[in-house]
Amino acid sequence: MIKGLKICGVSDPETLNYILNHNHKPIMIGFITNYEKSKRFVEFEKLKDLINIDKKQVKFVSVLVNPDDEILEKIKDLNFDYYQLYDVNPHRTKEIKSKFKKKIITALTISSKDDVDKYKDYSEISDIILFDSKGYAKSESFDHSLLDDVPSDLSKMIAGNIQINDIPNFKNKEFIVDLSGALEDQYGKKDINKIDKLLNLLKKI
C-alpha cells in the first residue's frame, strides 16, 4: 500500500494554503531551498514567510542540493521537519543530521542498478531514501523495475516524472510517492485542479 504522498516544489501561499486545507492532505510538502536552477526555487525571505504557518500535521521538507554550511545555518530555525539531500555523501549526511537535528531524506538519482544499491550506504543514517531520476529540476523518469529488489522494510520514496494517472500502479508498493511537475500547468505553476484530482484519487485507492 502507498505509504503517503509528497507534493514537491510548492512556492506560493495560495497553493500551500489550498493543500493544507484539503480534506485529503499529503503527508509532506517540499520546498526548493537552494537550487536556483529550478523554476520552483524559493528565495530565503519569501520562504521564511511562506512556511511560517500552521502545518496542520503535514511535514515540511527542505529540498537541498549539496548544501554548504552557510545555507544550513540560514535555514536552521525555519519550520522544516526534514532535509532532502541531493549529492551529499554519507559522512556529510551524518554530520548534517547530527548538527542540525533534522530528519533526513537522502535522494539518490537513478539510471542503473548500481545507483539503486547506493541506498545501502545511507540506510543506517537517513530516515527515508528517495529514488529519483537524474533530471533534478527537470521532470524525467527512470525504470522503476530497478527498485524491485529494494527491501520492503526500507523507508522509501519514489519520484521522477510520476503522473497522476500512474498513482494506481503504486497501490501495492511500500513507497511514499513524490509528485511535482505532474501538478503544474504549461507555465510551470502549480495547478489547483490537478492537485485536487491527485489528493482525491489517493484517498480512493
Side-chain angles (χ1 to χ4, degrees), residues 15-187:
T15 302
L16 182 57
N17 280 315
Y18 179 82
I19 296 169
L20 291 176
N21 288 291
H22 199 279
N23 287 332
H24 313 305
K25 291 185 273 291
I27 63 170
M28 295 179 179
I29 300 174
F31 303 86
I32 312 301
T33 306
N34 78 328
Y35 194 63
E36 295 184 25
K37 293 179 186 176
S38 173
K39 63 190 175 188
R40 307 169 188 119
F41 169 67
V42 187
E43 293 182 357
F44 175 74
E45 291 300 329
K46 182 181 174 186
L47 179 67
K48 189 168 62 170
D49 293 336
L50 179 66
I51 68 171
N52 186 27
I53 56 173
D54 177 2
K55 296 184 288 190
K56 310 213 171 158
Q57 298 183 312
V58 175
K59 303 299 183 185
F60 281 8
V61 180
S62 171
V63 179
L64 296 151
V65 178
N66 191 18
D68 58 21
D69 282 348
E70 183 181 357
I71 185 65
L72 292 169
E73 285 291 341
K74 203 171 182 180
I75 68 169
K76 68 181 182 182
D77 296 322
L78 298 190
N79 206 8
F80 287 122
D81 303 283
Y82 287 84
Y83 289 169
Q84 178 174 312
L85 305 178
Y86 286 83
D87 298 343
V88 179
N89 66 42
H91 176 77
R92 174 72 170 148
T93 300
K94 199 170 186 177
E95 189 178 78
I96 291 171
K97 183 174 187 177
S98 173
K99 183 173 182 180
F100 295 99
K101 312 299 183 197
K102 300 289 183 183
K103 291 186 175 181
I104 299 294
I105 301 169
T106 285
L108 301 176
T109 57
I110 308 299
S111 62
S112 70
K113 191 73 170 63
D114 287 344
D115 294 328
V116 173
D117 287 342
K118 290 176 185 172
Y119 81 83
K120 296 171 185 175
D121 299 329
Y122 295 90
S123 58
E124 299 296 317
I125 306 165
S126 305
D127 298 276
I128 298 170
I129 306 292
L130 165 62
F131 298 97
D132 199 354
S133 74
K134 295 282 186 183
Y136 290 85
K138 295 175 288 213
S139 293
E140 295 180 2
S141 56
F142 70 95
D143 180 3
H144 293 156
S145 70
L146 290 169
L147 306 180
D148 287 350
D149 294 330
V150 175
S152 59
D153 60 349
L154 183 76
S155 293
K156 52 195 178 289
M157 185 182 294
I158 189 166
N161 200 30
I162 296 169
Q163 302 300 307
I164 296 171
N165 292 335
D166 295 332
I167 293 296
N169 300 331
F170 293 99
K171 69 179 180 180
N172 295 319
K173 306 283 188 181
E174 299 283 322
F175 286 101
I176 298 168
V177 181
D178 184 345
L179 279 84
S180 184
L183 304 176
E184 293 169 357
D185 63 21
Q186 59 185 335
Y187 306 107

Side-chain angles (χ1 to χ4, degrees), residues 177-199:
V177 181
D178 184 345
L179 279 84
S180 184
L183 304 176
E184 293 169 357
D185 63 21
Q186 59 185 335
Y187 306 107
K189 296 274 290 178
K190 285 290 185 284
D191 185 322
I192 295 296
N193 292 322
K194 290 180 178 179
I195 291 171
D196 183 54
K197 180 181 176 182
L198 170 69
L199 295 175

